Amino acid sequence: MVELSLADYARTLTNDIQSQAEAEGGSIPRTFAQRVLEQLEEGGFVANTTVAYHDEHGVMIYGFGVSEDRDVLDLYTVDFHLNPAVDKLTKSEVQRAYRRLLAFLRKAGNIRPNFHETDEVYQLCEGVEKAFAGASKIRLFLFSNRESTARSMPEPTDFQGTPVTYELWDLARLHRHETSGSLGEPIVVDFDPPLPCLSADSTEPNHSVTLAVLPGRLLAELYDQHRTRLLELNVRAFLQTRGKVNRGIRRTLLTRPGRFLAYNNGITATASEAVFEEDENGKRTAIRRLTGLQIVNGGQTTATLHHVFKGDKKDLEGVGVQMKLTLVRPSDLMEIVPLISEYSNTQNKVTLVDFSSNDQFHVDFERVSRSLWAPAVDGGGQETRWFYERARGQYAEEEAKHTTPAAKRKFRIAHPPRQKFAKSDLAKYVNSWNQLPYLVSRGAQKNFTEFRLLIEQTPPVVDVAYCQRVIAMGILFRAVDAVAKECEAGSHKALVTTYTMARLCAATEKRIDLDRIWREQTVTEALRDAAAELCPLVMRVVIQEGKHVTEWAKSSKCWDEVSQIGWQVPDALAAELLDRPVEFLVDTREEEAERLARLTEIGAEEWETLGEWARQTRSLDPSEQHAATLIATKLATNGKITSSQVRQGLEIYDKAVRIGFNPSAL
């Protein structure tokens, strides 16, 4: 992996934030806050985040978040400089930023009445007040693109009896997080006194296994400190105590804590490094330190222990939890840990684990998309690529491989920063297209988790056509986003955008010509005008008085109301729609067989005729002409035709028929 220097990272980060803010029409500090929060949510540091800005004398805040169990309130603020290398972030500036966050918390009840209830500041105050009422801990976050000179963080304090801790994500820490791949900062646990263990070595790498019994309170405290970061990177949801297994765990903890070790299967964990105590024979007898601790299985056990410890106020005295620990090299983590998770025998293993960067879908999408050149649209003939970041930091990593300024400029011309998109963006585009705006409104991570489950249930065929159409969805989403900005959706623009796109797709029955959007790299005037006509109607439903907009938008009831908006597709757009919906889902075996039978029935001679017709009339793209001729050749020689070629070929055939191909007349 090519790692950017701190100075290069600072320039890249600042340029990216400026470009993104300009493209989205937002403020630079707010865009910076959104980017950092998305990364931290992906890494498990924060959850349920809301970006909202308020600034007045002695007060500044850029948003808040609440842990999944509603136990921790996070407040966020930002320090962003266009020339981060000029001055460093001083200790006094850090302390002032934290004071301004606490001042907001203190004054929120007085600030709120000064704003209308649909205003983001009103809802920011209301959301923070509600979260604070149920929180037992407050964390204050400062995000900065400058390097801090502060040697230490303020000591934990309290606010009206609630403990307050401080988190500084300065340039250096952001750099460490973003260049460390998907693992983020490793969790380090020191055991004092050392934890007795039984260790078994192996000649196989990554198979050194250690058994130990953790005190239940220690595991609950680790979860309290690290939250879902402890539960396999991208696990996002504590399943509460509604499930049968969780209720059983809780009942045992409350009524028979001494039997918990006997009843419960414990946890399966991994670590990248360990420090042991050894006896005179070199045998490992106790664990002193673990680095990179992750719980692979036993997430519900861990979270339920925490719930009983914090919610039920039980000290967990006498509760022991067995742990099977495997030491895994960081370089092998992505390969080994999913297998350990799959084969571990637990009472209800964590099923939302997300080593998603290595999911076959994302590997395939990256591979295919890297081969795509988007058509030139600026008149200069310069083709470009849409850069899919399968793992965080890939764009910066690829750019860093080009060492000279000229080479870097060439890379950016071919891969414009505005055409970079991540896994969370892809999920947002597809779920908006599929009319699931209430999932998109739940935030990048929750929406991505739902998207991942959907593609596991119905895996798409990740071929050229699929990638082009997903990118076209992104172009459509961004066009609707620009419309929402023109309609002055304000701080609720993201919610209005996904709902407007979803309603547009519902009204058109997903017959929007995504292939045309890909070819032209923009939406048509008719499509943009339709979005502009629809957007204000959507806004009136999403942004309602008496409703907390961000919470309302997360509800399927909001989509029910938006889907009932009385709006007809304008004639200009109706004339552009396809005859049938765009298809994306994988075919069943029966459907694949039917498609292949239809393609074969058309016959090699007719496919050859289609290719010749396309060359003479220039009605199809050269790639489509070639595909038709290739199918003709394979049919004539009994060559193998892949499922993606069958799908693409039939789409080309149907398109040719729509625009005038008539083999019987030739």
Side-chain angles (χ1 to χ4, degrees):
M1 178 176 185
V2 179
E3 184 169 318
L4 295 175
S5 69
L6 190 62
D8 286 339
Y9 173 74
R11 286 192 293 271
T12 299
L13 174 64
T14 304
N15 291 337
D16 283 353
I17 296 301
Q18 286 181 280
S19 299
Q20 186 178 345
E22 181 179 355
E24 296 178 353
S27 75
I28 289 176
R30 188 185 185 113
T31 302
F32 177 56
Q34 186 66 58
R35 168 168 166 157
V36 173
L37 286 172
E38 286 179 0
Q39 291 181 354
L40 296 192
E41 191 168 1
E42 181 180 350
F45 293 90
V46 298
N48 300 309
T49 61
T50 297
V51 175
Y53 170 71
H54 181 62
D55 180 16
E56 63 178 53
H57 180 68
V59 171
M60 181 178 288
I61 186 171
Y62 274 87
F64 75 103
V66 186
S67 61
E68 295 290 356
D69 57 6
R70 319 301 292 181
D71 194 49
V72 181
L73 167 64
D74 296 333
L75 302 179
Y76 314 123
T77 192
V78 164
D79 166 86
F80 190 91
H81 281 237
L82 294 178
N83 296 301
V86 175
D87 296 306
K88 292 192 175 182
L89 182 66
T90 66
K91 183 178 181 179
S92 61
E93 289 175 312
V94 171
Q95 292 174 334
R96 182 168 65 249
Y98 290 138
R99 286 198 301 270
R100 289 177 171 178
L101 282 176
L102 283 178
F104 172 82
L105 187 57
R106 186 164 44 250
K107 297 179 179 180
N110 296 325
I111 295 172
R112 179 161 54 94
N114 299 325
F115 295 88
H116 190 271
E117 61 182 22
T118 60
D119 190 277
E120 81 162 356
V121 178
Y122 181 100
Q123 299 195 2
L124 167 66
C125 295
E126 183 180 54
V128 168
E129 287 179 284
K130 288 181 178 179
F132 175 59
S136 63
K137 181 179 178 180
I138 299 168
R139 298 189 300 178
L140 305 182
F141 285 77
L142 170 58
F143 308 138
S144 177
N145 70 329
R146 293 191 290 167
E147 191 175 5
S148 172
T149 61
R151 297 295 181 185
S152 60
M153 285 284 85
E155 289 296 321
T157 56
D158 73 89
F159 178 82
Q160 297 180 7
T162 303
V164 177
T165 59
Y166 302 86
E167 291 269 356
L168 172 60
W169 286 80
D170 69 341
L171 180 70
R173 191 176 183 187
L174 289 171
H175 177 248
R176 288 195 304 272
H177 178 65
E178 191 155 347
T179 57
S180 63
S182 61
L183 298 181
E185 295 185 334
I187 294 173
V188 179
V189 182
D190 289 302
F191 296 95
D192 186 18
L195 185 69
C197 70
L198 175 64
S199 189
D201 289 323
S202 172
T203 56
E204 293 288 332
N206 295 313
H207 284 73
S208 174
V209 176
T210 299
L211 303 178
V213 176
L214 287 171
R217 176 166 180 157
L218 173 61
L219 189 53
E221 289 174 341
L222 285 173
Y223 182 84
D224 190 56
Q225 180 180 357
H226 300 291
R227 299 284 159 163
T228 54
R229 288 187 62 219
L230 192 63
L231 304 180
E232 247 195 309
L233 301 180
N234 287 311
V235 176
R236 284 297 168 266
F238 168 40
L239 302 178
Q240 304 297 334
T241 54
R242 293 190 295 267
K244 180 172 62 175
V245 172
N246 274 332
R247 287 200 301 269
I249 295 172
R250 181 170 177 267
R251 183 169 57 251
T252 301
L253 289 169
L254 293 176
T255 62
R256 295 291 181 89
R259 297 188 181 183
F260 187 80
L261 182 60
Y263 290 171
N264 189 266
N265 286 343
I267 64 173
T268 302
T270 63
S272 55
E273 298 177 18
V275 178
F276 294 97
E277 280 193 349
E278 298 179 349
D279 63 15
E280 63 275 8
N281 298 318
K283 183 178 180 181
R284 297 168 178 174
T285 59
I287 305 171
R288 298 189 64 87
R289 166 178 284 201
L290 293 176
T291 300
L293 178 64
Q294 289 283 297
I295 292 176
V296 177
N297 282 103
Q300 291 195 34
T301 293
T302 304
T304 306
L305 278 163
H306 176 263
H307 178 82
V308 172
F309 178 57
K310 300 292 287 187
D312 295 319
K313 309 297 183 185
K314 297 295 183 181
D315 61 10
L316 302 179
E317 185 67 30
V319 174
V321 184
Q322 62 179 326
M323 173 179 71
K324 185 182 82 171
L325 174 72
T326 304
L327 294 181
V328 181
R329 290 193 303 259
S331 59
D332 297 324
L333 201 61
M334 290 300 186
E335 176 186 356
I336 300 296
V337 171
L339 297 177
I340 295 174
S341 178
E342 179 181 353
Y343 299 141
S344 293
N345 180 26
T346 64
Q347 69 275 9
N348 192 352
K349 75 174 185 178
V350 178
T351 57
L352 297 182
V353 294
D354 187 14
F355 286 93
S356 57
S357 295
N358 277 12
D359 282 356
Q360 192 60 47
F361 170 85
H362 299 287
V363 172
D364 290 345
F365 195 98
E366 178 192 47
R367 173 180 52 79
V368 176
S369 65
R370 290 286 196 275
S371 68
L372 295 179
W373 284 99
V377 294
D378 58 2
Q382 174 65 54
E383 294 182 326
T384 59
R385 281 195 169 111
W386 286 79
F387 193 98
Y388 178 59
E389 277 200 324
R390 178 170 61 88
R392 187 180 62 242
Q394 279 186 313
Y395 184 92
E397 180 183 330
E398 289 297 319
E399 184 184 16
K401 292 178 181 177
H402 301 79
T403 56
T404 67
K408 288 182 183 293
R409 282 197 300 273
K410 184 177 180 181
F411 174 81
R412 285 200 161 222
I413 290 173
H415 307 84
R418 68 179 181 277
Q419 291 180 196
K420 176 181 68 176
F421 64 110
K423 298 192 302 290
S424 58
D425 296 317
L426 186 152
K428 179 171 60 177
Y429 303 153
V430 176
N431 276 356
S432 295
W433 172 268
N434 286 332
Q435 298 151 54
L436 299 169
Y438 51 92
L439 296 183
V440 178
S441 300
R442 293 173 187 174
Q445 187 56 45
K446 285 188 173 64
N447 178 59
F448 178 77
T449 299
E450 295 292 339
F451 168 75
R452 186 167 182 258
L453 293 174
L454 290 171
I455 62 173
E456 284 179 354
Q457 295 166 5
T458 51
V461 176
V462 184
D463 54 12
V464 169
Y466 178 84
C467 292
Q468 289 177 340
R469 290 171 181 177
V470 167
I471 293 171
M473 293 178 199
I475 296 171
L476 173 60
F477 186 95
R478 295 180 181 192
V480 175
D481 190 66
V483 168
K485 180 188 174 186
E486 294 170 359
C487 292
E488 299 181 349
S491 61
H492 304 307
K493 177 166 68 71
L495 307 177
V496 172
T497 297
T498 183
Y499 270 93
T500 300
M501 178 167 166
R503 185 66 180 87
L504 192 60
C505 293
T508 59
E509 300 174 319
K510 294 201 288 191
R511 292 186 291 124
I512 295 170
D513 192 345
L514 293 176
D515 293 335
R516 178 177 180 178
I517 293 177
W518 166 258
R519 291 194 303 271
E520 299 178 359
Q521 291 292 291
T522 188
V523 301
T524 65
E525 184 177 348
L527 188 51
R528 187 179 294 104
D529 289 346
E533 180 182 305
L534 179 59
C535 188
L537 305 178
V538 172
M539 285 176 60
R540 284 200 287 271
V541 176
V542 175
I543 307 174
Q544 291 189 38
E545 292 189 18
K547 294 184 183 294
H548 192 284
V549 178
T550 54
E551 293 302 317
W552 167 237
K554 296 175 184 177
S555 168
S556 60
K557 293 180 180 178
C558 182
W559 171 238
D560 290 341
E561 288 196 19
V562 170
S563 62
Q564 297 301 316
I565 290 174
W567 182 77
Q568 298 295 322
V569 176
D571 292 341
L573 177 57
E576 298 178 353
L577 298 180
L578 301 175
D579 295 334
R580 60 181 183 178
V582 177
E583 297 179 358
F584 285 99
L585 298 182
V586 67
D587 294 332
T588 64
R589 290 184 179 180
E590 292 77 9
E591 290 170 331
E592 285 186 358
E594 289 176 3
R595 284 178 176 274
L596 180 59
R598 181 183 170 217
L599 181 139
T600 304
E601 186 179 350
I602 291 171
E605 184 177 348
E606 190 166 331
W607 282 106
E608 184 63 41
T609 302
L610 171 58
E612 184 61 31
W613 172 82
R615 280 187 288 275
Q616 292 177 2
T617 62
R618 297 184 180 181
S619 300
L620 298 177
D621 293 337
S623 61
E624 294 172 324
Q625 299 173 20
H626 174 74
T629 303
L630 178 64
I631 290 172
T633 301
K634 288 195 172 189
L635 286 174
T637 60
N638 293 319
K640 181 180 179 181
I641 305 175
T642 66
S643 59
S644 62
Q645 289 172 334
V646 171
R647 175 186 291 271
Q648 182 185 20
L650 291 178
E651 289 176 351
I652 292 170
Y653 185 89
D654 291 341
K655 175 182 176 181
V657 170
R658 286 199 306 272
I659 60 179
F661 174 63
N662 184 2
S664 61
L666 296 178

